[in-house]
Amino acid sequence: IPLRLVGSEMCIRDSPSSILLFGDRGIGKRTLIHNLVPIRIYDLAPIFQNTPIQTLRLSEDTSSEADLCAQLSPLTQNDSPASFEELTRALNSSERRQIVIVENATKAFNRTSEGLELCRGFMRTIGQTSRRTLWILIMDTPAATLLDTTLDLFDYFTHVFELEPLLNSQIELMISNRHRVSGYAIDYDLPPLRILHKLRHPLSATDALRNPREDYFRRLTVASQGNPLFALLLWLRSVRVDPEDDARLRVEHIPDDRIDASLTEGLTLDKLLILSLILQHGSLTSIQLAEILQRPTDDTDIDLSHLARLGFVEVMVGTTSTYRLRNLAAPKTTTELRDRNLV
């Protein structure tokens, strides 16, 4: 529906169109775009017939207008723009339409006045070139909400969509479809219900014992908070080969403590702020964190090392001091920080 709407607007009214797609990390933004756009866009919007699709991923160390324009230079045929003005002129002078998917769009800003102005300039460029270029930006929710508060981010796009957490039935369908191609038979362990639980909740206890599969996916949805990536990771931790049948898998029950336990309880305010900043920026170096928090770098390094030992953060591959949240920690940490009004 969004692509058909965008296509009809560009075709009928020759209107500028741009899309911002945001959602929490692991919610499936890239999966949606990279499966939907190449497969469906030509059927839904005939104006895009024979229109090339380019995917660009912004670098982790984007820091200036020249850096950003260099990364966007593949969009221009022969030019090497060094400024947004040159990029705008090159894109608007081109006779061809194109679809541009920008991943990791969070890196278009940093938490300085220059960084925010860089992001504002990029958004203006998108608006000024969106008649010939369909921009699709992918961004995490913490960054999108922060930039909408500071820069009115959503106003720069003609269409803004948020990916919501999946429902119980959607989580089950996703995992069942993936498992079906494996060829393994599968059984679900009965939940080890306590006598007190059976007495207090006789109906739910009976349902869980009668249908352990339904009980498992209900618990998985709650534990993963509807995040598909987190649900898949928890699923992999739950599955084991049946010791009596190599062609059969068994799925372990998800215990209550994995659902109810708080991750961030007991963390100091400094550590909570570090986690919220990494969430909003996607990744940060220890030096960048120290500058934002106005703390000594040594103190920030100590907190980061502690958070890494606790399983919250990890050093990104190919770097020595750029940290991001771990996949297993990101969804629940995001929810808990959001409940504390820190993101």
Side-chain angles (χ1 to χ4, degrees), residues 34-61:
H34 288 298
N35 282 276
L36 181 65
V37 172
I39 297 173
R40 298 286 292 161
I41 194 167
Y42 301 124
D43 296 333
L44 295 174
I47 191 176
F48 296 123
Q49 291 285 352
N50 302 318
T51 300
I53 300 173
Q54 297 206 55
T55 300
L56 302 174
R57 181 174 179 83
L58 297 189
S59 168
E60 296 294 326
D61 55 0

Side-chain angles (χ1 to χ4, degrees), residues 30-232:
R30 284 190 303 164
T31 301
L32 173 67
I33 287 298
H34 288 298
N35 282 276
L36 181 65
V37 172
I39 297 173
R40 298 286 292 161
I41 194 167
Y42 301 124
D43 296 333
L44 295 174
I47 191 176
F48 296 123
Q49 291 285 352
N50 302 318
T51 300
I53 300 173
Q54 297 206 55
T55 300
L56 302 174
R57 181 174 179 83
L58 297 189
S59 168
E60 296 294 326
D61 55 0
T62 302
S63 60
S64 67
E65 184 173 340
D67 288 340
L68 190 49
C69 288
Q71 295 177 62
L72 297 173
S73 62
L75 304 180
T76 62
Q77 293 178 318
N78 298 313
D79 298 321
S80 298
S83 67
F84 290 137
E85 183 178 355
E86 293 178 7
L87 178 63
T88 299
R89 187 164 52 247
L91 291 176
N92 286 338
S93 63
S94 175
E95 296 182 358
R96 65 169 187 169
R97 294 185 184 273
Q98 59 182 328
I99 301 169
V100 180
I101 301 171
V102 181
E103 298 179 355
N104 205 27
T106 302
K107 290 304 171 181
F109 92 103
N110 56 64
R111 221 183 193 86
T112 63
S113 57
E114 295 82 3
L116 292 175
E117 189 56 37
L118 172 67
C119 184
R120 185 180 285 110
F122 182 35
M123 296 304 118
R124 289 199 195 103
T125 300
I126 289 175
Q128 293 167 358
T129 59
S130 58
R131 193 176 296 276
R132 304 292 300 172
T133 302
L134 173 58
W135 294 88
I136 304 176
L137 262 66
I138 302 174
M139 189 175 290
D140 290 344
T141 296
T145 52
L146 173 65
L147 289 174
D148 190 49
T149 300
T150 55
L151 302 179
D152 294 322
L153 175 70
F154 297 167
D155 293 349
Y156 288 95
F157 294 86
T158 60
H159 303 82
V160 178
F161 304 102
E162 179 180 11
L163 282 189
E164 299 285 350
L166 300 188
L167 303 175
N168 184 350
S169 58
Q170 295 169 323
I171 292 284
E172 181 175 359
L173 180 62
M174 174 190 69
I175 290 178
S176 297
N177 287 341
R178 286 171 174 261
H179 169 72
R180 190 174 295 116
V181 299
S182 72
Y184 283 88
I186 191 165
D187 288 324
Y188 293 81
D189 289 349
L190 293 175
L193 301 178
R194 298 178 181 177
I195 295 177
L196 185 59
H197 178 83
K198 293 179 181 179
L199 292 175
R200 289 181 174 176
H201 310 283
L203 294 179
S204 63
T206 301
D207 290 341
L209 293 172
R210 285 180 176 175
N211 194 337
R213 174 191 173 103
E214 181 179 316
D215 180 69
Y216 173 83
F217 281 107
R218 180 186 62 80
R219 287 174 168 271
L220 180 63
T221 303
V222 175
S224 66
Q225 300 177 21
N227 186 292
L229 175 60
F230 193 25
L232 285 169

Side-chain angles (χ1 to χ4, degrees), residues 260-268 272 312 336 340:
D260 301 330
S262 170
L263 292 182
T264 59
E265 185 176 356
L267 294 181
T268 64
L272 292 174
F312 283 98
E336 293 185 14
R340 294 170 181 258

